[in-house]
Amino acid sequence: MGLGVLEDTHLEHVPGTALLTDVISPDHHHHHGVLDTSLLKHDKGNNSDVLLVPQPSNSPNDPLNWPLWKKDLMLFLICIDTAVVGAWGPMISPGYVLMTEQFHMSYNSLNGGLGWGIFVIGVSCFFTQSMAVIWGRRPIFLLGNLLLFISSTWGYFAHSYSSLLASRLIGCIGMSPFEVLVTTTIADIYFVHQRGVRLAAWGLCLSIGVGGGIMISGYIIQDLGWNWTYGICACFFGVWTLVLFLFCPETAYRRDFLLNTDLGTDDRAAELIHGTEEKPTTTSNVETVERADTNLSSTETRKSWVSELRVFHGRVSDDSFFKVLARPLMMLIFPQVLFSFIAYGMTTSWLIVVGSVLAQIFSAPPYNFTASGVGLVSISTIVGSLIGAFTSGPSADWVVKMMSRRNNGVYEPEFRLVLIVVTLVIGGMSFFGFGWSIQNRDPWIGPVIFYGLQYFAVGFINISVYGYLTDCHRDKAPEAFAAINLRNIYSFGMNYFISSWIDSQGPKEVFCIIGGIHVFICLTAIPMYIFGKRCRSWTSRVEIFQKVMRA
């Protein structure tokens, strides 16, 4: 038993499990038991005992071999884009009360009607992930930005409910790549021990976008009108489409299957070592990734920056488009994917639901906030997200390395789930406290603090699930994330009746029920942690699961 994770007795290697750390002898030679791991590529500096998972090829065009500054710059630009995409969805919510008067609709009808966009995101994720698997990530990111530009321009000129709804549905299709492909891109260009901080950075930008967008849009709506929120976004997406075109190259790359030491049912790390020992080698330099060597050579020449500007680089997968399109639904039968769908989907949906009723709660007595005042409530979400990201990201990577070293150098994806304990305690308290304080008509600072704690807590479960699912199914990451983003359909359903539910039963009962479900979901991480490795082995051996993976 590896730190509570039950061992498997059926496979030589369980997909997702990987040799992550080894031992450095006094003569600076790497080994893991009797295995000479000095022939594998390692990180450098304080992490020189950390093996690179997956192992990069020797090609200069392998995204794993890109300089770290290039990877981080690309992710930074995508994260900025993600922040605005995150703001785009809920940014008009502070103006819902004003819009009900303009469109002569009830709050619940407006909120539920515009909520169709959430449903569209959930459905379109299937198509965008399928296109990304077949034709690459780059064209789909560019297409998403272009659709958001068109939709925002349309939204600026929309003056009726039907026109606004139509523009939002187009924009929600454009949002879908940022729901499923950012985590895939992180898996494309970063190694296992580097992903935690980057996933936290993406999650932070998404949360800041939602919270900050609502805060800023409150003033825009109050001073200029809700149409201007779309006008400003149109300017941004127009510029950022060009930025992504210039600085975000394709990250999908076909490398030799042996280099994927975290995948497959055989010990590929040992195969690489034994294959290297059978031929003459030069001394590996563990101080740099670029100078290390493997048994797999490359004759590729480095692509120029101009050649990287091509939108399409040909097919990156030989799978049928329609098979890839159907795969996310079929992957929901995998225990790892089903757990991630429940854990990530439902907990994240609560944030969307709470955000949609802020105007309903804080525009009414005893608070009587204006549109800008409702927007300022989201300052707490920014603070909570910032603190959460700066603690969850480094903690995630530290926990992975620490537990792997204690587990004889072997990494298990279930180690990612340890951080959910933070979400269990803080998240449960935040939902209970939010409903209770509003019911008791406490001063505004009470519910606002609890609202911020929701974002702090959910950040920990998000990074745990992102990392866990990526490490379990890295080769099928787009499909897996499309599957768990079916939670948008659940969010759409909740959006339709949450307002009337609060009116009929009161906020205390509503949010205590939500808090209870949240706690139960977090507790399901315990059996997943214990039996997760056996589940991964099971899905790698049973024919029905293999048919899904080959579909």
Side-chain angles (χ1 to χ4, degrees), residues 330-339 473 539 545 548-549:
M330 295 187 289
M331 287 189 73
L332 282 173
I333 67 175
F334 286 66
Q336 310 92 291
V337 179
L338 181 60
F339 163 77
H473 296 290
T539 55
F545 296 109
V548 170
M549 296 298 275

Side-chain angles (χ1 to χ4, degrees), residues 218-230:
Y219 283 98
I220 296 173
I221 292 169
Q222 184 169 294
D223 296 337
L224 301 174
W226 60 264
N227 294 80
W228 267 100
T229 61
Y230 290 104

Side-chain angles (χ1 to χ4, degrees), residues 220-436:
I220 296 173
I221 292 169
Q222 184 169 294
D223 296 337
L224 301 174
W226 60 264
N227 294 80
W228 267 100
T229 61
Y230 290 104
I232 294 170
C233 283
C235 297
F236 172 84
F237 288 123
V239 172
W240 224 249
T241 300
L242 179 62
V243 169
L244 293 188
F245 174 77
L246 294 175
F247 300 108
C248 294
E250 182 57 64
T251 62
Y253 183 81
R254 298 195 194 195
R255 65 178 62 85
D256 194 290
F257 73 94
L258 275 179
L259 296 169
N260 296 317
T261 55
D262 53 333
L263 302 178
T265 57
D266 50 356
D267 192 344
R268 294 180 179 177
E271 289 184 44
L272 278 174
I273 292 169
H274 294 149
T276 305
E277 289 173 341
E278 293 171 0
K279 59 187 289 186
T281 60
T282 57
T283 303
S284 280
N285 184 341
V286 300
E287 291 302 312
T288 61
V289 173
E290 290 76 13
R291 292 175 61 187
D293 197 6
T294 67
N295 65 318
L296 300 175
S297 59
S298 172
T299 58
E300 289 184 354
T301 57
R302 186 184 299 274
K303 291 181 180 178
S304 67
W305 178 69
V306 174
S307 67
E308 288 184 337
L309 293 180
R310 289 171 52 197
V311 175
F312 294 98
H313 292 262
R315 290 178 69 102
V316 296
S317 172
D318 296 324
D319 292 343
S320 161
F321 174 82
F322 293 103
K323 285 185 176 181
V324 177
L325 183 65
R327 193 178 288 151
L329 277 176
M330 295 187 289
M331 287 189 73
L332 282 173
I333 67 175
F334 286 66
Q336 310 92 291
V337 179
L338 181 60
F339 163 77
S340 300
F341 165 70
I342 295 172
Y344 165 74
M346 288 196 171
T347 53
T348 304
S349 294
W350 305 143
L351 302 186
I352 298 174
V353 167
V354 175
S356 70
V357 296
L358 287 181
Q360 175 186 359
I361 293 171
F362 289 102
S363 295
Y367 305 113
N368 299 313
F369 285 4
T370 61
S372 59
V374 172
L376 289 175
V377 171
S378 295
I379 291 178
S380 65
T381 67
I382 298 176
V383 175
S385 299
L386 281 169
I387 299 173
F390 281 106
T391 52
S392 65
S395 297
D397 287 337
W398 178 83
V399 165
V400 162
K401 289 182 285 188
M402 181 271 294
M403 295 186 73
S404 297
R405 288 178 176 125
R406 294 191 176 187
N407 193 39
N408 196 30
V410 177
Y411 165 71
E412 306 287 1
E414 287 70 31
F415 295 164
R416 298 275 189 193
L417 304 180
V418 171
L419 292 182
I420 292 181
V421 67
V422 178
T423 308
L424 169 66
V425 177
I426 304 297
M429 179 180 69
S430 65
F431 286 113
F432 292 134
F434 185 75
W436 206 287

Side-chain angles (χ1 to χ4, degrees), residues 3-6 339 343 414 417-418 420-421 424 461 468 519-533 535:
L3 302 182
V5 178
L6 293 180
F339 163 77
E414 287 70 31
L417 304 180
V418 171
I420 292 181
V421 67
L424 169 66
I461 197 170
Y468 182 61
V519 169
F520 173 78
I521 290 171
C522 290
L523 290 175
T524 61
I526 297 175
M528 198 71 239
Y529 179 89
I530 296 172
F531 298 101
K533 186 171 185 177
C535 288

